[in-house]
Amino acid sequence: MADDFYLRYYVGHKGKFGHEFLEFEFNKDGRLRYANNSNYKNDEIITREVYVSQSVIAELKRIVEDSEILREDDNNWPAPDRVGRQELEIVLGGQHISFTCTKLGSVLQVQNSKDPDGLRIFYYLVQNLKCFVFSLISAHFKIQPIQK
Amino acid sequence: MADDMDQDDRAQGVDKRRKGRGHRDTTEWAERYGGARFKELDPNAKPGPTASVEGWVIFITNVNEEAQEEDIHEAFAEFGDVKNIYMNLDRQTGFVKGYALVEYKGHKEAQAAINEMNGKVLLEQTIQVDWAFRKPQRRR
């Protein structure tokens, strides 16, 4: 199915405040699911779901394609560890990538890695995806996700 | 988040080119969510665009990378009171990423903006304007 599309991003860690994570998922029908979990001060998980239009999905695909992330591989990226974990899974144009990485704190960490060019693409794509999703969620639900 | 993708792949015998450690090292999504329901605003609505919490949101694409929020505001204010504008920058280049969300209080205002501005030229680029959110079409 060449027109199949799916995108999921997860970032999280386990620590003092439980399993703190952010995750969002788009499917090709436009269903966006968003989750933000923390037990900080006994907080509970926030989950939201909304269907976005095909225009939004098309723009999401454009952002992904422009990044050229589908050409990359996570072989030489720092693996998930106690500091944290990121997962980016994308189905687009007949490809299915599922990359994992530790949390990235800075551009310097990207620069010093074994695959700075590939990791940089991942680093900025993730930031752009988060901006995209946070704006959609804020606009629709009027809740303000916290940028980490 | 359901892992329908793999089942569909196997069912259709499709060989998608797979890359990444994540294929071998998946985390337990079921453990993250258990039976948690993802909150929607109106789960029983009929098909079509859907209202957001305080208004109606439209989605604009192919926005010029040097656009300012004022440009968007100016172009879209004639259809109604613009309640909110979201226009993100590319995190690497600092230029406008290319999309914007504009919110109006009323459905009519938002529809007028879509009808008039879709396909119009703004800052030398032809923009597309559509609804941002819609009601689900449930598959049975």
Side-chain angles (χ1 to χ4, degrees):
Chain A
M1 293 255 272
D3 67 339
D4 216 346
F5 174 69
Y6 176 77
L7 184 145
R8 181 180 67 87
Y9 172 72
Y10 161 95
V11 59
H13 68 269
K14 292 181 183 167
K16 205 155 83 159
F17 303 115
H19 182 185
E20 298 187 280
F21 69 88
L22 165 73
E23 185 164 33
F24 52 80
E25 173 196 72
F26 289 89
N27 73 9
K28 75 173 196 280
D29 295 327
R31 190 190 67 200
L32 164 60
R33 284 182 164 175
Y34 164 88
N36 200 334
N37 187 49
S38 172
N39 300 128
Y40 177 69
K41 293 190 178 171
N42 297 315
D43 225 357
E44 281 178 359
I45 193 168
I46 294 170
T47 61
R48 294 289 188 273
E49 177 176 306
V50 63
Y51 278 73
V52 298
S53 68
Q54 284 306 300
S55 301
V56 172
I57 293 296
E59 180 67 1
L60 179 62
K61 287 180 183 176
R62 181 193 71 86
I63 290 172
V64 170
E65 280 162 356
D66 283 0
S67 76
E68 301 194 333
I69 188 77
L70 296 166
R71 290 210 199 159
E72 303 302 322
D73 206 315
D74 61 358
N75 288 328
N76 293 316
W77 298 358
D81 57 17
R82 291 215 59 83
V83 171
R85 179 184 187 94
Q86 294 186 78
E87 295 177 3
L88 180 65
E89 187 176 357
I90 303 177
V91 174
L92 181 59
Q95 277 203 282
H96 184 169
I97 62 170
S98 181
F99 295 158
T100 64
C101 189
T102 183
K103 277 201 193 182
L104 295 172
S106 68
V107 194
L108 193 60
Q109 189 180 0
V110 169
Q111 219 78 304
N112 293 337
S113 72
K114 291 196 281 175
D115 176 19
D117 294 336
L119 198 53
R120 188 176 306 118
I121 288 174
F122 175 77
Y123 179 75
Y124 285 113
L125 175 62
V126 160
Q127 290 188 44
N128 286 324
L129 292 176
K130 281 191 200 170
C131 285
F132 189 72
V133 171
F134 290 171
S135 292
L136 289 167
I137 296 295
S138 290
H140 191 63
F141 294 104
K142 291 286 168 10
I143 58 178
Q144 305 289 337
I146 299 169
Q147 286 263 20
K148 282 206 192 158
Chain B
M1 314 275 183
D3 197 19
D4 318 299
M5 302 309 314
D6 288 348
Q7 288 170 352
D8 286 349
D9 286 356
R10 286 195 286 274
Q12 292 153 23
V14 168
D15 179 38
K16 290 212 177 83
R17 291 194 331 267
R18 293 169 160 251
K19 283 196 296 185
R21 293 187 291 232
H23 288 299
R24 303 181 286 285
D25 168 29
T26 51
T27 54
E28 289 307 314
W29 67 268
E31 170 188 280
R32 290 202 279 284
Y33 301 105
R37 222 197 117 79
F38 283 76
K39 289 202 174 102
E40 308 163 67
L41 288 188
D42 183 9
N44 301 311
K46 296 199 226 19
T50 193
S52 301
V53 166
E54 287 171 11
W56 295 80
V57 182
I58 65 176
F59 187 69
I60 306 154
T61 51
N62 203 31
V63 176
N64 188 304
E65 65 181 13
E66 294 188 345
Q68 309 271 335
E69 274 194 19
E70 286 144 39
D71 300 316
I72 302 293
H73 196 276
E74 203 183 295
F76 285 86
E78 72 177 270
F79 309 102
D81 197 9
V82 171
K83 290 298 184 194
N84 235 322
I85 299 176
Y86 296 83
M87 190 171 69
N88 294 325
L89 305 182
D90 181 295
R91 298 301 296 260
Q92 186 170 17
T93 67
F95 286 113
V96 170
K97 192 65 179 150
Y99 63 87
L101 298 165
V102 168
E103 181 185 344
Y104 295 97
K105 189 122 180 87
H107 176 270
K108 277 211 187 91
E109 301 167 317
Q111 185 72 73
I114 291 173
N115 295 345
E116 291 305 309
M117 297 303 290
N118 185 35
K120 284 287 187 306
V121 173
L122 177 65
L123 301 170
E124 295 167 20
Q125 287 186 204
T126 304
I127 57 173
Q128 309 298 318
V129 185
D130 187 9
W131 294 105
F133 305 108
R134 61 174 188 83
K135 292 165 189 157
Q137 282 150 252
R138 303 223 181 267
R139 283 190 282 179
R140 292 194 193 272

